[in-house]
């Protein structure tokens, strides 16, 4: 299906130069001199690379038909992860290098969305927030809270997050998967 730059919105997938891109952000620009254009930041769904592209206003391109399926994470198998379709129990192995960013949030039995383009698996989408357990952090020293600072904490998946001083080892925390930031205690 052909779309124009007027149809752009965050999260839309398009095909440009034989690659599949997700629009991360975009901005319509109308300079005082010359024609209007759209400045966009695109993420390549095959390689994970983020690139800035500029399109003329009204330029046409193909929308990429992306399918998502609800899957459950089962286990690690060598250098890939195995997911099971919750409807028909079909199992799919996804290579670790296709989901390297999401691995820091992945836990066994977690519900995720498998992203596919035709029969090609492009990766997974984890929920917007996940609950992880702190495995290592420095103890909070009394009197450190006046400035409202933070300290690094390592989670059970290997993710390192900046957390407030009152967080201790063993605490369960809500983490934002979009930017890897601390939200609250769970």
């Amino acid at each position: 299906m052909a779309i124009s730059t007027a149809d752009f919105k965050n999260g839309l997938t398009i095909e440009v130069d034989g690659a599949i891109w997700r629009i991360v952000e975009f901005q319509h620009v109308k300079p005082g001199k010359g024609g209007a254009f759209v400045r966009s930041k695109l993420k390549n769904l095959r390689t994970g690379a983020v690139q800035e592209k500029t399109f003329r206003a009204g330029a046409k391109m193909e929308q990429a038909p992306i399918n998502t399926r609800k899957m459950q994470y089962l286990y690690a198998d060598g250098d890939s992860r195995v997911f099971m379709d919750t409807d028909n129990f079909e199992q799919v192995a996804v290579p670790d290098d296709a989901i390297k960013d999401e691995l820091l949030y992945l836990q066994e039995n977690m519900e995720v969305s498998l992203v596919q383009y035709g029969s090609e698996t492009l990766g997974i989408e984890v929920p917007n927030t996940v609950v992880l357990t702190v495995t290592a952090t420095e103890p909070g020293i009394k009197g450190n809270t006046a400035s409202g600072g933070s300290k690094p904490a390592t989670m059970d998946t290997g993710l390192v997050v900046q957390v407030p001083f009152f967080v201790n080892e063993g605490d369960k925390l809500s983490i934002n998967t979009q930017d890897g930031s601390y939200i609250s205690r769970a």
Side-chain angles (χ1 to χ4, degrees):
M1 181 172 105
I3 60 167
S4 78
T5 55
D7 302 319
F8 274 18
K9 53 184 185 254
N10 292 347
L12 186 74
T13 52
I14 57 175
E15 276 185 81
V16 179
D17 303 329
I20 303 162
W21 302 88
R22 173 171 284 136
I23 299 172
V24 178
E25 59 186 53
F26 68 97
Q27 179 181 18
H28 290 278
V29 180
K30 296 179 187 130
K33 182 178 178 184
F37 59 92
V38 176
R39 192 176 290 136
S40 62
K41 186 185 277 188
L42 306 175
K43 180 177 182 178
N44 187 319
L45 293 182
R46 288 191 175 116
T47 65
V50 177
Q51 188 175 357
E52 299 211 1
K53 282 192 179 287
T54 304
F55 300 98
R56 284 188 337 270
K60 299 270 187 204
M61 63 212 58
E62 285 296 314
Q63 181 173 356
I66 299 292
N67 299 323
T68 58
R69 293 168 43 194
K70 287 281 180 218
M71 304 290 269
Q72 182 179 21
Y73 172 56
L74 295 178
Y75 57 90
D77 183 26
D79 58 351
S80 63
R81 306 293 161 139
V82 178
F83 297 88
M84 178 183 68
D85 191 316
T86 53
D87 294 331
N88 60 14
F89 307 110
E90 173 192 347
Q91 292 188 5
V92 177
V94 179
D96 284 352
D97 55 334
I99 57 172
K100 58 184 171 280
D101 296 335
E102 291 84 359
L103 284 176
L104 294 172
Y105 306 105
L106 204 56
Q107 295 174 305
E108 285 192 10
N109 301 323
M110 177 185 267
E111 293 271 327
V112 299
S113 296
L114 186 74
V115 180
Q116 292 182 311
Y117 175 71
S119 62
E120 176 187 2
T121 299
L122 298 174
I124 62 168
E125 290 176 354
V126 293
N128 289 336
T129 59
V130 294
V131 176
L132 301 175
T133 306
V134 178
T135 56
T137 188
E138 300 165 10
I141 300 166
K142 191 170 185 174
N144 275 355
T145 56
S147 64
S150 60
K151 62 182 181 178
T154 304
M155 311 309 286
D156 52 356
T157 60
L159 178 70
V160 177
V161 180
Q162 291 295 321
V163 299
F165 286 117
F166 60 79
V167 172
N168 299 312
E169 289 184 22
D171 287 357
K172 292 192 179 298
L173 307 179
S174 290
I175 304 296
N176 180 346
T177 60
Q178 305 300 312
D179 58 7
S181 64
Y182 163 85
I183 298 173
S184 67
R185 279 184 173 163

